[in-house]
Amino acid sequence: MKFLLRWGRTANSSIAVTQPEGVPVSIGGPGSSYTCVWHAGVLTNRDALAQRLDLSKATPTAELFALLYRRYGTTAATLAEGSLTWVVWDKSEKRLAVIGDRLGLHRLYYRLSGDALTLSDRLEALLDPHPPPPNHRSIVAHIHARPPAPGETYYQGISVLRPGELLDITPGTCRPVRYWRIAAQPLLKLRDDREYADCFRELLFRVVPAYMPDRRAAVALSSGMDSTCIAAAIKTVNPTADLVACTWQVQALPEADESVYAAAVAKHLRLTPMTIDVVRHWPLSRNGVVSTFRATPVYNLYADIWEAIFHQMSHIGADVLFTGLGGDHLFGDNVFAYPDLLLKGRWFELARQLSAHRPISRMSLGRVLRTMMLAPILRGYVPGWQQLRQSPQPWLTKVHRPQFRETLPQLDIPRRISPGRQQRLGALQDPFLPHAADLMMRQAEAHQIELRHPLLDHRLVEFAASLPTTQTFRAGERKIVVRNAMKGYLPDCVLNLRHKIEPTAIAHTVLREHNRDWILDLSTGMRLAELGYVDEACFRETTSGYVEKKHNYMHFWHTLTLEDWLRRHF
């Protein structure tokens, strides 16, 4: 999909739309003024909108969007539920409305050049015939595992629609408008755990099943609470739903193997199992190296495993895959209740939780107090404290160290709320989420697979922003409200699993045993060093120390993918 809108200071602007193959697309019929020229994502309240507009339920989605915009203008963006991005052309007013989804999961890129604006859902479409140079600030950010600044990309002069943003484009103007943002919500105050669990379950069971297609779908099932609660919501509301459980299995590394827990969930919910043996699809096994996209140096270390999942899904006739992306941001992550309990004077409860935390924690009490109570308070109430605690990677050259401060996320977090709720809001505003979703989508689309991330529905995000921290963290245990809500809906072995199973052991095995030569090759004769970003000797010392098992510091990964990107595409 590629939009070409030519506009200037006169009213003679025109719009032309072409498909990827270069085939022109007709913009509306002879009597049509409003035309939805493109849309992507899932509309979960389609029937309600059709009724509101006095339309048949069989009305094509594109026509529904066009009529919705004709009646409500840009306010229509707030009426559509789900995760969707759409573009409407008003021929009579020569106005283009580009409406992004609330979380930025379906990304749209645009480039202004002279009197022309080019818009596309694929950044690569904006690079030819004259690709712009890389964005220097985005390169520094990537070295530190951060995405480009909001609205920016890895290329100079190419912008991306921000989450919850729309573009109102007329001849001579291109006005961005934020119609929704992740903000602090009024604190939800219920009587006890049961009421919180009931409230969450009702919302989850109402939102998630609306994302289920009327055909075979799959869920990327792990041992955690995120993907499993999605599967439980779908199968509880629609027991006959044809849902496949996609699971990794890595028996050679028991510490990274989640298949036993996933199998228990599949059996409990009567899902069709589909297991991928990681040993047969070791990460980086195809060609032995990463293969970064031209649009971005972001690369998923486990991409080959996902490729195997997508390939197998195509064989079994499933073309929609649910993921638990965002679950940690909503209800987990390092968001602690201890600061809030201290500042609210709930000292006996604080003492009780700390006492219960010690037996299950590998940290001393002093470290728990420093990292889980004192640090969040300082971050929340001392201006600039977080920035002072951040330091650049040791291999970043001195000339670019001033730019490091510019890459620190600028989050919209009010100081009037408690430190724990500030942490939650910061997790929800994580700017890397849209990039992670975009990267997965690029892989999936090569197999004609559509990804859906229902936990990132804005209603669940707003619910998470309203929760007291004691509903997401208690005595060292995370996702309290989710565990309580899923009692009876998921097997006890999953509900009682205290420590999340991480795939870190897979990464260490792959990088050290299978790809050490590739790592050391990318650490020698670096383009990043030629361009002045990286001290090559310092970086090579880090990577050599890692492959020789002197340390487990894996933050060099992002610099490696950046080096591959520069060598491959520049």
Side-chain angles (χ1 to χ4, degrees):
M1 182 278 290
K2 185 176 180 181
F3 294 99
L4 292 174
L5 173 69
R6 297 198 172 275
W7 54 283
R9 297 183 181 278
T10 68
N12 297 324
S13 302
S14 61
I15 177 173
V17 181
T18 61
Q19 295 173 340
E21 297 80 8
V23 179
V25 178
S26 175
I27 308 299
S32 174
S33 176
Y34 296 86
T35 306
C36 178
V37 296
W38 180 82
H39 62 88
V42 182
L43 178 65
T44 60
N45 65 332
R46 193 183 188 286
D47 290 349
L49 289 179
Q51 183 179 8
R52 184 171 188 157
L53 296 170
D54 295 323
L55 299 174
S56 164
K57 291 183 179 181
T59 302
T61 302
E63 183 180 342
L64 186 149
F65 281 142
L67 295 174
L68 189 67
Y69 179 79
R70 182 181 69 179
R71 180 174 296 187
Y72 297 104
T74 54
T75 305
T78 64
L79 301 177
E81 303 285 0
S83 174
L84 61 149
T85 298
W86 41 301
V87 180
V88 174
W89 170 244
D90 179 358
K91 183 172 63 176
S92 61
E93 295 290 334
K94 293 191 180 295
R95 180 185 298 270
L96 192 73
V98 182
I99 301 171
D101 69 86
R102 292 173 175 87
L103 274 297
L105 305 179
H106 302 280
R107 296 164 73 74
L108 281 177
Y109 303 90
Y110 59 99
R111 183 179 183 183
L112 287 169
S113 178
D115 65 346
L117 178 141
T118 309
L119 176 74
S120 178
D121 66 335
R122 284 293 173 268
L123 187 147
E124 291 89 340
L126 310 185
L127 297 179
D128 298 322
H130 304 295
N135 183 329
H136 300 298
R137 182 163 63 174
S138 297
I139 288 180
V140 174
H142 186 80
I143 289 173
H144 297 87
R146 297 194 184 102
E152 295 186 8
T153 67
Y154 289 97
Y155 289 88
Q156 295 181 29
I158 296 182
S159 303
V160 62
L161 209 62
R162 295 190 292 178
E165 184 177 69
L166 63 85
L167 295 179
D168 187 16
I169 305 169
T170 58
T173 65
C174 179
R175 185 171 65 96
V177 177
R178 291 293 294 274
Y179 70 89
W180 184 87
R181 66 182 68 238
I182 299 172
Q185 303 294 315
L187 182 64
L188 185 62
K189 298 179 180 180
L190 302 178
R191 286 183 298 181
D192 52 31
D193 285 353
R194 181 177 178 178
E195 288 194 359
Y196 282 106
D198 290 345
C199 186
F200 169 64
R201 190 189 312 108
E202 186 279 328
L203 179 63
L204 182 78
F205 285 11
R206 175 161 45 91
V207 169
V208 171
Y211 283 83
M212 181 68 188
D214 57 359
R215 58 190 185 277
R216 169 166 272 197
V219 56
L221 203 65
S222 70
S223 63
M225 298 301 305
D226 306 328
S227 58
T228 54
C229 77
I230 291 173
I234 292 173
K235 291 296 285 186
T236 301
V237 174
N238 183 8
T240 62
D242 190 359
L243 192 63
V244 176
C246 299
T247 308
W248 299 4
Q249 176 182 305
V250 54
Q251 295 178 345
L253 298 170
E255 65 272 36
D257 191 0
E258 303 179 88
S259 59
V260 172
Y261 298 96
V265 174
K267 181 178 179 180
H268 186 86
L269 297 176
R270 299 183 180 180
L271 307 178
T272 303
M274 187 191 88
T275 304
I276 301 297
D277 187 353
V278 171
V279 175
R280 295 181 56 196
H281 305 282
W282 280 115
L284 308 185
S285 59
R286 295 179 310 135
N287 306 320
V289 295
V290 304
S291 182
T292 50
F293 292 102
R294 191 181 179 193
T296 172
V298 180
Y299 190 84
N300 184 354
L301 177 59
Y302 308 100
D304 287 1
I305 303 176
W306 285 104
E307 284 288 325
I309 290 175
F310 299 145
H311 182 74
Q312 187 63 23
M313 283 181 60
S314 299
H315 274 285
I316 64 173
D319 60 1
V320 171
L321 178 66
F322 289 94
T323 82
L325 184 67
D328 285 341
H329 297 75
L330 270 70
F331 306 113
D333 216 350
N334 291 321
V335 178
F336 310 117
Y338 299 151
D340 296 6
L341 292 174
L342 175 70
L343 296 178
K344 291 180 178 179
R346 299 180 61 188
W347 301 326
F348 289 109
E349 176 62 16
L350 174 61
R352 187 193 69 78
Q353 290 197 27
L354 288 172
S355 177
H357 188 170
R358 290 190 65 185
I360 66 172
S361 175
R362 300 172 184 174
M363 297 189 296
S364 66
L365 178 60
R367 187 180 174 192
V368 168
L369 293 175
R370 288 194 304 273
T371 59
M372 296 185 178
M373 189 161 65
L374 179 60
I377 291 174
L378 292 173
R379 274 199 305 268
Y381 295 133
V382 178
W385 177 264
Q386 180 72 2
Q387 285 71 20
L388 291 173
R389 301 290 293 177
Q390 299 282 340
S391 58
Q393 295 288 10
W395 52 83
L396 184 69
T397 56
K398 291 182 179 180
V399 67
H400 286 288
R401 296 205 166 203
Q403 283 185 301
F404 166 75
R405 296 293 170 190
E406 299 177 18
T407 68
L408 295 174
Q410 302 298 316
L411 304 179
D412 181 18
I413 302 177
R415 297 193 179 277
R416 67 178 183 276
I417 59 177
S418 65
R421 297 191 67 212
Q422 288 184 36
Q423 284 183 285
R424 176 61 61 206
L425 205 56
L428 293 172
Q429 293 181 9
D430 181 4
F432 199 79
L433 268 178
H435 291 264
D438 181 65
L439 189 67
M440 294 176 68
M441 182 183 69
R442 287 174 178 274
Q443 278 191 270
E445 285 190 341
H447 299 269
Q448 288 76 51
I449 302 294
E450 178 190 352
L451 293 183
R452 297 186 181 181
H453 317 288
L455 293 185
L456 290 176
D457 185 279
H458 74 279
R459 291 161 289 185
L460 288 169
V461 170
E462 290 169 348
F463 175 81
S466 73
L467 281 176
T469 51
T470 50
Q471 284 299 313
T472 56
F473 182 94
R474 185 180 300 164
E477 188 176 18
R478 290 166 167 79
K479 302 186 179 178
I480 304 299
V481 68
V482 186
R483 296 178 191 277
N484 289 336
M486 290 295 102
K487 287 180 180 177
Y489 296 89
L490 291 174
D492 290 342
C493 65
V494 171
L495 295 174
N496 298 330
L497 188 63
R498 290 184 178 273
H499 299 291
K500 185 177 181 180
I501 298 175
E502 300 284 356
T504 310
I506 300 175
H508 289 323
T509 300
V510 166
L511 294 175
R512 285 172 171 153
E513 298 181 13
H514 301 281
N515 292 279
R516 59 180 297 155
D517 292 341
W518 169 76
I519 291 174
L520 298 177
D521 176 67
L522 279 183
S523 304
T524 305
M526 299 180 71
R527 289 289 310 279
L528 282 167
E530 294 176 11
L531 296 172
Y533 291 101
V534 165
D535 180 330
E536 184 174 307
C538 179
F539 183 72
R540 189 163 56 248
E541 181 181 359
T542 301
T543 55
S544 298
Y546 174 80
V547 298
E548 294 168 7
K549 301 184 180 180
K550 294 180 179 178
H551 63 81
N552 289 326
Y553 189 69
M554 289 184 58
H555 285 231
F556 64 83
W557 171 255
H558 304 282
T559 303
L560 280 182
T561 64
L562 185 60
E563 176 67 19
D564 176 86
W565 183 67
L566 289 172
R567 292 186 185 187
R568 189 179 299 274
H569 302 293
F570 293 89

